Amino acid sequence: MTVAIETYGLTKHYGKTVAVEDLNLVVEHGEIFGLLGPNGSGKTTTILMLLGLTDPTAGSARVLGFDPTRSPLQVKRRVGYLPDSVGFYDELTAWENLRYTARLNGLEPREARERIDEVLHRMGLADVADQKVGTFSRGMRQRLGLAEVLLKRPQVAILDEPTLGLDPEAAHEFLDLIRGLRAEGMAVLLASHLLHQVQVVCDRVGLFHKGRMVLVGRVDELSERVLGGAYRIRVESRGVDLRSALLDLPEVVRVYPDGEGTFTVEARTDLRPEIARRVVARGELLGLGLERPGLDEVYARYFQEVGRGEGT
Amino acid sequence: MSTIVEERPREPVAVRREGSPWTGLWAVFQKELADHLTSVRMQILEGLMLLTAVGTVFAATQSIRQEIGEDPFVFLKLFTTAREPLPSFVGFLSFLVPLVAIALGFDAINGEHARRTLSRVLAQPIYRDALLLGKFLAGLATIGIVLLGLWLVTTGMGLFILGVPPGGEEVARGLLFLLATLAYAGVWLALSMLFSTIFRQPATSALTAIALWLLFAVFWDILAALVAQAIVAQQVGNPLTELVQARIQLSLSRVSPNTLYGEVVLALLNPQVRALGPVLLTQLEGAVLGTPLPLSQSLLLVWPQIVALTAGTILLFCAAYVTFQRQEVRA
């Protein structure tokens, strides 16, 4: 795999406010990288710097080997960008909107026609190609946005909050479309604050907090690192004090009660058989299940701990 | 222009951006021109201008009819003759052209912000230069098309009603008059585009531009007179103070593009006009009053005004350009 996006100490200050601080990022071709974090944590600013739409205060970036500050046109010719809550010209049809984009990209009219028909078809918008965008729903606009990204046949796609405002079904469909891009070898940079929604498509994620990327890695690696255990087992039992029952197992990281007779066990390995044996030996086992921790939890726990560390 | 096109160096080593700033200019121009020509806003204004043009020129033909044959420049009179209660064609134009220009430019940039299309368009391989210049040129072209149409319609009406074909010099003066009007429109278009980059709300930029238009169209002459009186007190029996006062008032009123345009039109469409501003009797010695000036002399007379209008357009556009370049893309 080759590198699509690289940044070295990328920093952006707006006056005294720090938007992005010392960002070092590598995204490879054929991978979906999630830029995750709450609103205002520096995701969009990072994207704008990668596209050369705003100049970094310090540091530099390379997108497909080009410096976005020096050669923004080269970068923008090869990178598709779907902005946060994308807007179109409401008084023009979907087709006309894309034709404008095609012209801005300098495509030949015939080539443009073919590509527009192709991407509209692919995004399931062929039937509404001649409708004014003003009549489109949020989901349709979002798909039109992705169609526009595909129109220039990019090597890198940068998507800012692609699932925001979509209903769960539409969001799911949209994420499927994004997965399709990876299959074509495109590098996808996906920024979102909906951690649980996008974690399923991301190969790797970077968690942002106040302009800094504090955690990078695969989702399961991160939960292993932050939550200690990659396995969380919910145990429902009667008449058993699980804490004392599992005390001697070295793989257990934490055990905490989670309601009446219910415990959550965090462990480094899948301890379900062992737990079942011990509970049955001491009392009644009502239920046992494995939970995969989400990124939301990783994020919350990490900053809980960071906060505690800062407090003491 | 090239000094502005370059980015300000942020580091000791100047970072020059690569690629032509004109990339995509044609695409923006085409799209904006199509938008302007099909927009309801523009169609209403075109209708209004057509009505006033036909009305004023028709009224003018009624007065001119009696004096055909006496005036060698009867066609130019079509545009300048006013008949109560209607003002002349040029009077209407100097009033309406700024409005049209403001209508075309007031939401150029903040409208893109409001529709959330700006970041999407700027993510295409173009520089901001192309977007702003494309919009400006498309606005200017729209006004040019409308003006040319109006001029042809009125000239056609004149032909029809007066039954006299226009002479070569009349056509030349008419075309120069159109160019001057375009420069005048350029000032207002650039101004309204400047406001559209400064203000986030299209309504704010429209109102500010209209307020300025009202100031120049209605109040500026009054203000100029008041200020001139305040600067130089008129002494009874001293004609020199009167002259100085008149000169100050004239210079002040020439700050207004409306005054400049009025003077250009006056000299271009009335070949008899030989001076703009106060003239001393001694300067008129040997002059054959009432004889028309040749076109080249009329043009010489208003050359400073034409240059001033063009320079104003360029300056205002540059201000809009600098503001836009320094603006953050995100809302």
Side-chain angles (χ1 to χ4, degrees):
Chain A
M1 284 207 276
T2 48
V3 172
I5 301 175
E6 254 182 305
T7 70
Y8 316 96
L10 205 60
T11 301
K12 177 75 184 179
H13 294 185
Y14 289 110
K16 280 189 178 161
T17 350
V18 175
V20 176
E21 185 74 44
D22 193 26
L23 175 70
N24 294 294
L25 180 77
V26 177
V27 181
E28 288 171 340
H29 283 292
E31 112 173 305
I32 301 182
F33 188 90
L35 224 49
L36 308 179
N39 294 326
S41 57
K43 296 170 303 203
T44 303
T45 308
T46 305
I47 290 174
L48 292 180
M49 285 191 283
L50 290 178
L51 287 167
L53 291 179
T54 193
D55 291 340
T57 312
S60 66
R62 290 256 139 191
V63 179
L64 298 165
F66 295 101
D67 179 354
T69 321
R70 271 178 73 93
S71 339
L73 296 194
Q74 298 289 354
V75 170
K76 292 194 276 187
R77 215 163 269 150
R78 294 166 176 82
V79 176
Y81 172 47
L82 175 66
D84 173 15
S85 53
V86 60
F88 287 93
Y89 300 105
D90 283 350
E91 68 283 0
L92 299 182
T93 67
W95 210 91
E96 286 165 343
N97 266 294
L98 291 189
R99 186 181 54 188
Y100 184 37
T101 308
R103 278 186 183 156
L104 289 174
N105 279 280
L107 294 182
E108 293 295 315
R110 182 190 289 178
E111 168 95 31
R113 260 200 304 279
E114 279 169 15
R115 285 204 200 177
I116 293 171
D117 287 337
E118 180 202 312
V119 292
L120 282 176
H121 185 77
R122 187 166 162 193
M123 289 297 123
L125 293 169
D127 296 338
V128 290
D130 295 322
Q131 267 183 36
K132 296 228 155 83
V133 176
T135 65
F136 277 24
S137 69
R138 180 98 181 85
M140 288 159 87
R141 277 165 201 265
Q142 210 66 22
R143 273 185 287 158
L144 186 57
L146 196 56
E148 194 205 50
V149 167
L150 295 180
L151 186 63
K152 55 173 125 167
R153 303 206 169 134
Q155 297 165 37
V156 174
I158 297 182
L159 315 173
D160 197 355
E161 299 287 4
T163 59
L164 188 65
L166 299 184
D167 60 66
E169 198 187 342
H172 189 75
E173 274 177 30
F174 202 78
L175 291 174
D176 271 345
L177 292 173
I178 294 171
R179 257 195 215 112
L181 305 185
R182 170 179 53 186
E184 290 169 26
M186 229 180 264
V188 181
L189 189 70
L190 197 156
S192 181
H193 70 270
L194 301 166
L195 281 63
H196 61 279
Q197 209 170 45
V198 297
Q199 72 176 49
V200 289
V201 294
C202 293
D203 297 311
R204 286 192 309 136
V205 297
L207 291 186
F208 269 69
H209 181 72
K210 290 181 182 161
R212 284 183 175 276
M213 191 163 72
V214 285
L215 287 168
V216 203
R218 302 173 58 85
V219 176
D220 44 0
E221 278 171 21
L222 288 186
S223 48
E224 163 86 40
R225 223 158 78 202
V226 175
L227 301 176
Y231 294 88
R232 348 180 83 209
I233 301 152
R234 269 173 76 88
V235 187
E236 226 180 307
S237 61
R238 200 176 288 154
V240 186
D241 182 10
L242 213 58
R243 266 181 283 204
S244 56
L246 301 178
L247 208 57
D248 58 323
L249 284 175
E251 294 94 338
V252 172
V253 180
R254 294 211 304 168
V255 181
Y256 50 93
D258 211 16
E260 186 66 29
T262 314
F263 288 88
T264 300
V265 180
E266 286 178 14
R268 285 189 196 92
T269 53
D270 191 357
L271 282 178
R272 276 178 296 177
E274 182 60 30
I275 293 173
R277 265 194 296 282
R278 291 191 178 206
V279 173
V280 169
R282 287 171 170 80
E284 288 174 71
L285 179 64
L286 301 177
L288 189 65
L290 186 67
E291 259 179 24
R292 289 236 145 229
L295 274 180
D296 280 316
E297 212 161 327
V298 172
Y299 197 85
R301 177 72 70 80
Y302 184 79
F303 290 109
Q304 213 176 353
E305 271 159 26
V306 167
R308 223 179 275 146
E310 280 167 1
T312 52
Chain B
M1 196 82 175
S2 65
T3 50
I4 310 162
V5 168
E6 290 164 15
E7 255 185 8
R8 286 164 295 132
R10 289 163 296 98
E11 293 154 15
V13 186
V15 177
R16 275 170 170 269
R17 49 182 204 184
E18 288 167 5
S20 160
W22 313 121
T23 321
L25 179 67
W26 180 240
V28 176
F29 177 79
Q30 265 182 315
K31 191 248 169 202
E32 293 294 324
L33 190 62
D35 276 4
H36 287 329
L37 293 179
T38 54
S39 73
V40 179
R41 185 196 296 176
M42 201 52 215
Q43 278 162 3
I44 291 172
L45 284 169
E46 278 163 10
L48 186 68
M49 285 183 79
L50 191 68
L51 271 181
T52 53
V54 170
T56 49
V57 171
F58 185 76
T61 55
Q62 299 306 307
S63 338
I64 295 168
R65 265 186 146 167
Q66 285 107 40
E67 37 187 297
I68 294 180
E70 291 167 22
D71 193 330
F73 295 104
V74 78
F75 251 89
L76 296 180
K77 286 232 153 142
L78 270 183
F79 303 123
T80 52
T81 308
R83 188 182 178 189
E84 290 299 320
L86 284 177
S88 66
F89 177 65
V90 287
F92 255 121
L93 268 194
S94 70
F95 196 69
L96 278 180
V97 161
L99 258 194
V100 174
I102 289 170
L104 288 174
F106 78 89
D107 64 348
I109 299 302
N110 52 19
E112 300 269 350
H113 265 298
R115 282 180 288 185
R116 301 189 145 277
T117 45
L118 189 64
S119 52
R120 192 173 57 81
V121 169
L122 289 181
Q124 307 311 323
I126 59 163
Y127 280 118
R128 296 185 195 195
D129 317 38
L131 187 68
L132 197 69
L133 190 62
K135 277 173 178 279
F136 179 74
L137 291 180
L140 215 54
T142 310
I143 296 172
I145 291 169
V146 173
L147 286 178
L148 195 65
L150 281 183
W151 183 67
L152 289 175
V153 165
T154 47
T155 310
M157 264 180 69
L159 267 175
F160 199 68
I161 298 174
L162 299 176
V164 192
E169 193 180 328
E170 281 174 300
V171 173
R173 280 176 183 270
L175 283 175
L176 281 173
F177 155 66
L178 279 192
L179 278 181
T181 312
L182 209 56
Y184 175 56
V187 172
W188 288 99
L189 185 64
L191 184 77
S192 64
M193 282 180 71
L194 172 63
F195 286 153
S196 89
T197 52
I198 294 176
F199 300 113
R200 265 301 145 83
Q201 297 295 326
T204 316
S205 65
L207 282 177
T208 316
I210 286 177
L212 217 58
W213 166 68
L214 266 182
L215 172 73
F216 282 133
V218 182
F219 302 112
W220 193 257
D221 285 338
I222 307 169
L223 277 177
L226 285 178
V227 172
Q229 276 169 30
I231 293 175
V232 183
Q234 220 180 87
Q235 293 163 359
V236 185
N238 187 351
L240 204 62
T241 54
E242 210 171 322
L243 182 66
V244 171
Q245 200 181 65
R247 284 203 171 133
I248 289 176
Q249 184 180 341
L250 191 64
S251 325
L252 278 176
S253 71
R254 276 179 181 159
V255 171
S256 157
N258 296 41
T259 309
L260 293 175
Y261 176 65
E263 287 179 342
V264 172
V265 167
L266 185 70
L268 278 182
L269 295 184
N270 299 295
Q272 291 88 356
V273 170
R274 16 185 80 229
L276 302 163
V279 177
L280 297 180
L281 261 179
T282 50
Q283 288 171 308
L284 282 176
E285 239 182 55
V288 187
L289 286 177
T291 47
L293 287 180
L295 176 57
S296 59
Q297 292 300 309
S298 289
L299 200 57
L300 206 59
L301 190 61
V302 294
W303 195 247
Q305 275 82 351
I306 292 179
V307 170
L309 283 175
T310 316
T313 306
I314 294 173
L315 276 179
L316 285 168
F317 181 78
C318 287
Y321 180 89
V322 171
T323 319
F324 186 45
Q325 289 287 342
R326 296 189 172 185
Q327 217 165 41
E328 285 298 326
V329 173
R330 64 195 309 182

